[in-house]
Amino acid sequence: MQHTQQSRAAAAAARALAGSRSLAMLTGAGISAESGVPTFRDAQTGLWARFDPLQLATPTAFAIHPKLVWDWYAWRRELVAKVQPNPAHDALVEIERRVPDCLLITQNVDDLHRRAGSRKLVELHGNIGRVKCSREGTVVEDWDLVGDEVPHCASCGALLRPDVVWFEEMLPPDALAAAEAMARRCDLMLVVGTSAEVYPAAALPPIAKASGAIVIEINPNATALSPTADYALRGPAGRVLPALVQEAWPDTPFAAIPRMA
Ligand code: OAD
């Protein structure tokens, strides 16, 4: 019974995707889980199950323990540099090719969407591969580790920090404005691998829904968004998304896309 309901939901979601003329895609940590990047809130494996965000992901934490925060981000930077995009990232690249008016809005800082080939992309929470001055906010391209110290800005001497958004900080205004504008005008929003608990990103699906868009969630687990999603496709994004794209556009030239069960 559940299987039939899921197949029907998948077929209807694929029809909606194929018919979309203006498409927003919102992703979270779950889309990179199958690449080997840990999520934040999964009970056993999430980063926030093992680490305290208040000690690592706030401006106050950086002011008190810059080296601890720097090293934690350096560990994550090295981790994401070693992994590869997975079939879910690839499927979103294919969608960008199929629907010219689209925008991929990600909360992820891992750069895997860009490495997969997505180009119409806004990064709401920054990018862990970049570093910026903690005083002026200027992105710094060339920086060197001297010994074991947190590096300093060459122009003002302040500490450098990862170019990511921490708790208690504002999102980059241009990225947020572009995301909200797309949420208001899209006819379909795909929401992949996010717990939908962190604002303002979590407000985007309700904005889309209130503006008349269809909302499709792809996530193995129910989330805060599930009750209001038009279709909730349960399963790992690396399996569900390629199957959805294949069903929407049967001529998709993916090699060996797994069929949805
Ligand atoms: P979360 O860790 O809160 O949620 C990850 C979601 O991915 C969960 O709903 C999982 O069920 C789902 N998931 C796990 N494996 C999956 C898979 N294979 N395919 C699809 N979904 C899967 O991560 P986010 O929602 O991204 O912000 O968290 C939002 C923000 O909170 C992050 O950007 C980060 C974090 O604190 C900052 O650091 C500022």
Side-chain angles (χ1 to χ4, degrees), residues 8 13 32 40 43 50 80 86 92 146 148 164 175 181 226 237 243 247 255:
R8 280 204 200 110
S32 297
F40 295 94
R50 291 185 283 150
V80 301
N86 69 56
L92 297 192
V146 182
D148 211 17
V164 299
S226 304
E247 191 155 349

Side-chain angles (χ1 to χ4, degrees), residues 16-182:
L17 178 58
S20 174
R21 295 288 162 265
S22 182
L23 175 68
M25 299 171 268
L26 173 65
T27 63
I31 196 167
S32 297
E34 289 155 84
S35 293
V37 182
T39 60
F40 295 94
R41 290 177 186 75
D42 282 287
Q44 304 299 323
T45 54
L47 289 173
W48 297 154
R50 291 185 283 150
F51 301 100
D52 178 359
L54 293 179
Q55 304 286 327
L56 295 165
T58 67
T60 312
F62 186 68
I64 299 172
H65 298 298
K67 180 79 168 87
L68 177 76
V69 172
W70 178 272
D71 286 350
W72 191 68
Y73 278 92
W75 166 68
R76 287 180 56 205
R77 188 183 307 122
E78 282 163 29
L79 191 155
V80 301
K82 282 189 208 131
V83 303
Q84 300 303 323
N86 69 56
H89 298 99
D90 295 340
L92 297 192
V93 178
E94 179 64 17
I95 292 176
E96 179 177 309
R97 208 173 70 75
R98 299 277 182 171
V99 187
D101 181 20
C102 73
L103 187 65
L104 172 51
I105 303 157
T106 190
Q107 298 165 86
N108 299 344
V109 297
D110 59 26
D111 209 33
L112 289 179
H113 285 305
R114 199 182 311 275
R115 286 174 54 198
S118 289
R119 290 297 171 262
K120 294 177 184 170
L121 175 65
V122 297
E123 294 171 320
L124 288 180
H125 293 169
N127 188 308
I128 203 168
R130 282 193 312 259
V131 157
K132 68 180 181 183
C133 173
S134 61
R135 184 180 300 148
E136 299 160 332
T138 332
V139 172
V140 175
E141 301 293 343
D142 289 320
W143 52 276
D144 276 326
L145 278 182
V146 182
D148 211 17
E149 294 298 303
V150 178
H152 289 78
C153 173
S155 86
C156 79
L159 292 175
L160 296 181
R161 55 160 283 183
D163 188 10
V164 299
V165 176
W166 283 330
F167 293 103
E168 302 165 14
E169 292 187 319
M170 306 289 282
L171 274 59
D174 292 354
L176 182 60
E180 286 174 343
M182 192 54 170

Side-chain angles (χ1 to χ4, degrees), residues 176-192:
L176 182 60
E180 286 174 343
M182 192 54 170
R184 278 192 296 271
R185 78 184 175 78
C186 67
D187 57 38
L188 178 69
M189 180 178 273
L190 269 183
V191 184
V192 186

Side-chain angles (χ1 to χ4, degrees), residues 204-259:
L204 295 170
I207 291 174
K209 183 95 183 143
S211 309
I214 293 170
V215 174
I216 300 173
E217 174 178 65
I218 296 174
N219 197 311
N221 303 304
T223 72
L225 171 70
S226 304
T228 53
D230 294 279
Y231 305 107
L233 307 184
R234 295 275 165 253
R239 176 171 63 77
V240 176
L241 256 181
L244 184 70
V245 170
Q246 179 85 81
E247 191 155 349
W249 298 287
D251 63 327
T252 303
F254 288 169
I257 289 182
R259 283 251 141 230

